[in-house]
Amino acid sequence: MAEETKAAPAEKTGQAQEDAKQNSKKEQATNEAALKGQTVKKREIEHISATAGPVNIIELLDSIVFNALKSKASDVHMEPQESELLIRFRVDGILREVLTIDKNLEQALIFKIKVSAKLRTDEHFAPQDGRIRFIFDGKKLDTRVSILPITRGEKVVMRLLTSAGRSFKLQDLGLRDNELEAVEKAYNKPYGMILAVGPKGSGKTTTLYSILKILNSTEVNITTVEDPVEYDLEGVNHIQINTKANLTFASGLRSILRQDPDIIMVGEIRDAETARIATNAALTGHLVLSTLHTNDAVTAIPRLIDMGIEDFLVASTVNLVIAQRLARKLCDECKKEFTLTKADLEQLTKMRPDIAALLKPEEKLYHEVGCNVCDGTGFKGRVGLYEVFDIDESIRKLITEHASVDDIYEQARKNGLVLIVEDGVKKLKAGVTGVSELIRVTALKE
């Protein structure tokens, strides 16, 4: 948090006036901190040393992963430093330092990870990938392990592949009102394509799994092809990509089509071949769900066309595009209300005019503070910010007429398309997230 500016001593004024000045400056500092995204507390980092006594490496590894699971972390980073091994957890999309380990324990810990992941223990100069299964309180936790040689040793990243504690309800993810209705209409169609787009780590797979969970029943055959398989849904057939066995998205998708599927989820459309097979599947009576890497919903259309899919096929098959970002939710225990002043709005206009244009002075907003519940960050959990692009007849007509992306965007706006930043401001006004977080996750296009 920004340090509070001390007011100059009052000369020939009453104590009440001085207190009022100080309170005013404190409030200004708080508002500035909210706009700049500064939080208040610094975490104390624990250190593990062998000098205090023998360290059980097996217990140490289990403890690191268990604490990551308890913290709802998605990844564990083990980063060699000059004199220690730094352990960081990615929680709510942000890396946090949680532990440092003596350098003389580093090799033993990495050796144990390699053995558990069935990797070569004598290889120190080439990347390696594997998997480790942990069991805590009788429950299985699978982790994907990546080891990469760097100048100070070998860096380890462990991805926790668990659905524990994660919601698969669209409402809980942050979809509301018209956007939720559009998604429901699209997944109730027997065929066609639903695309989730956005950068890495924006929650696309979770959104698609939320739809799969709704559609999952004994009456339909659902198959997914992914890299990696992040969730395990009972009754769904999951295929893990294996390039060494020539099992790619394209070859896996071709094989799925011979398995009499009703619903198919493709982890990602990465190339023209996968795009072509997925489009044909959507055209021939299958509901296809997949992800693309585009910044917004409308540009998913020219992206598919750039991959070699004909305009009329894109128009015929794509039912819905969901663009999204993940914003951290303010901690309900410690978030603090503040009134947006004219000066605050002017400052915000300089940084993000698109956000400022959707706000007005005297609006009641909230900012992060930090407490024991949220581990001093001011945030706990995440919420989706969405842009739901419903492909109706007016849009299909424009696509088949080779209209520009600007023309498609203009028609989509006429049809009621709500942009990600606009959805973010709605959640800002509702006290779900803060100004600093909205600025962070909705970067302006260059």
Side-chain angles (χ1 to χ4, degrees):
M1 182 177 180
E3 292 185 5
E4 295 166 358
T5 308
K6 294 182 180 178
E11 294 179 11
K12 300 180 182 180
T13 59
Q15 185 62 41
Q17 288 177 303
E18 177 61 22
D19 290 343
K21 283 184 181 179
Q22 287 186 352
N23 288 338
S24 175
K25 292 202 173 186
K26 284 179 182 179
E27 187 69 23
Q28 183 181 354
T30 300
N31 291 353
E32 287 176 359
L35 291 174
K36 293 175 183 175
Q38 297 169 335
T39 52
V40 294
K41 293 191 177 181
K42 182 172 175 61
R43 293 168 41 82
E44 292 296 325
I45 307 300
E46 186 183 349
H47 180 76
I48 292 180
S49 171
T51 57
V55 175
N56 186 316
I57 295 297
I58 297 174
E59 290 180 0
L60 175 59
L61 179 59
D62 285 350
S63 175
I64 291 169
V65 176
F66 179 72
N67 278 288
L69 181 64
K70 197 165 65 172
S71 301
K72 294 185 169 59
S74 60
D75 302 87
V76 176
H77 288 238
M78 302 182 184
E79 303 172 1
Q81 309 292 308
E82 192 171 337
S83 58
E84 62 192 12
L85 181 67
L86 175 65
I87 308 296
R88 299 198 289 173
F89 293 167
R90 187 176 293 280
V91 181
D92 295 336
I94 303 293
L95 282 170
R96 299 183 192 170
E97 295 181 1
V98 293
L99 183 69
T100 56
I101 299 173
D102 265 7
K103 194 73 173 176
N104 55 17
L105 296 172
E106 180 183 314
Q107 287 302 317
L109 181 59
I110 291 177
F111 181 85
K112 169 59 183 168
I113 291 170
K114 286 181 177 180
V115 169
S116 300
K118 297 180 174 59
L119 303 176
R120 287 186 56 182
T121 57
D122 60 342
E123 178 58 76
H124 304 285
F125 302 103
Q128 296 193 76
D129 297 298
R131 294 170 79 93
I132 303 176
R133 172 168 286 181
F134 295 85
I135 298 177
F136 300 119
D137 299 327
K139 295 180 180 178
K140 297 173 185 176
L141 169 65
D142 286 321
T143 62
R144 184 183 64 183
V145 179
S146 171
I147 300 179
L148 185 70
I150 61 174
T151 54
R152 289 176 173 166
E154 293 177 274
K155 182 178 187 293
V156 179
V157 175
M158 303 178 72
R159 165 65 58 90
L160 277 60
L161 305 175
T162 174
S163 58
R166 301 190 188 186
S167 171
F168 285 114
K169 291 184 179 178
L170 291 170
Q171 295 93 327
D172 294 341
L173 297 181
L175 280 163
R176 297 284 185 273
D177 306 327
N178 294 338
E179 286 77 19
L180 183 59
E181 285 181 21
V183 174
E184 289 173 345
K185 184 179 79 172
Y187 69 62
N188 281 317
K189 291 182 179 178
Y191 57 87
M193 190 183 294
I194 297 174
L195 294 173
V197 305
K200 181 182 179 297
S202 58
K204 301 185 296 294
T205 302
T206 302
T207 298
L208 295 185
Y209 262 93
S210 301
I211 296 172
L212 285 187
K213 189 169 183 183
I214 295 167
L215 298 173
N216 189 15
S217 75
T218 56
E219 299 170 356
V220 293
N221 176 14
I222 302 176
T223 307
T224 77
V225 53
E226 305 167 74
D227 185 25
V229 176
E230 294 196 26
Y231 305 116
D232 186 11
L233 285 185
E234 190 71 31
V236 174
N237 307 292
H238 300 282
I239 299 173
Q240 168 67 52
I241 291 300
N242 184 352
T243 51
K244 292 178 182 176
N246 198 32
L247 179 53
T248 62
F249 280 113
S251 64
L253 188 48
R254 275 195 299 267
S255 299
I256 288 172
L257 291 172
R258 293 191 286 270
Q259 290 278 314
D260 186 30
D262 297 294
I263 300 164
I264 302 167
M265 192 188 98
V266 185
E268 183 186 343
I269 295 178
R270 293 180 179 174
D271 52 53
E273 187 181 9
T274 307
R276 188 175 63 255
I277 300 167
T279 303
N280 287 333
L283 195 64
T284 55
H286 305 89
L287 183 63
V288 177
L289 286 67
S290 191
T291 70
L292 269 177
H293 285 295
T294 63
N295 285 325
D296 55 53
V298 174
T299 52
I301 302 302
R303 176 83 177 104
L304 284 173
I305 294 169
D306 288 344
M307 284 181 158
I309 308 303
E310 292 87 347
D311 303 58
F312 73 91
L313 283 178
V314 173
S316 303
T317 55
V318 180
N319 292 334
L320 190 81
V321 183
I322 308 168
Q324 61 185 86
R325 301 290 187 276
L326 282 179
R328 290 180 295 169
K329 293 168 68 176
L330 289 169
C331 174
D332 288 330
E333 298 297 320
C334 64
K335 67 181 181 182
K336 187 175 180 182
E337 187 181 72
F338 74 97
T339 301
L340 191 69
T341 66
K342 189 175 180 181
D344 292 332
L345 202 55
E346 288 173 357
Q347 182 185 349
L348 182 58
T349 301
K350 293 175 185 176
M351 292 188 288
R352 287 296 300 273
D354 57 333
I355 295 175
L358 300 169
L359 296 169
K360 57 182 184 292
E362 306 306 316
E363 252 186 299
K364 301 293 183 184
L365 303 177
Y366 291 83
H367 68 81
E368 64 271 26
V369 177
C371 65
N372 292 332
V373 173
C374 60
D375 216 7
T377 63
F379 298 96
K380 192 168 180 63
R382 288 193 285 181
V383 66
L385 310 181
Y386 294 96
E387 187 174 294
V388 178
F389 180 29
D390 185 13
I391 313 294
D392 68 358
E393 289 308 314
S394 64
I395 299 294
R396 294 187 200 282
K397 186 172 183 292
L398 286 174
I399 296 171
T400 54
E401 291 174 351
H402 315 293
S404 70
V405 68
D406 290 334
D407 290 337
I408 295 172
Y409 172 79
E410 187 178 334
Q411 183 61 47
R413 290 291 275 171
K414 287 178 183 176
N415 292 350
L417 176 68
V418 176
L419 303 182
I420 286 174
V421 71
E422 293 170 341
D423 188 41
V425 170
K426 284 183 186 176
K427 292 179 169 85
L428 191 67
K429 292 178 179 180
V432 176
T433 191
V435 179
S436 63
E437 184 65 5
L438 185 57
I439 291 171
R440 185 183 72 84
V441 301
T442 59
L444 282 169
K445 294 179 187 177
E446 296 181 358

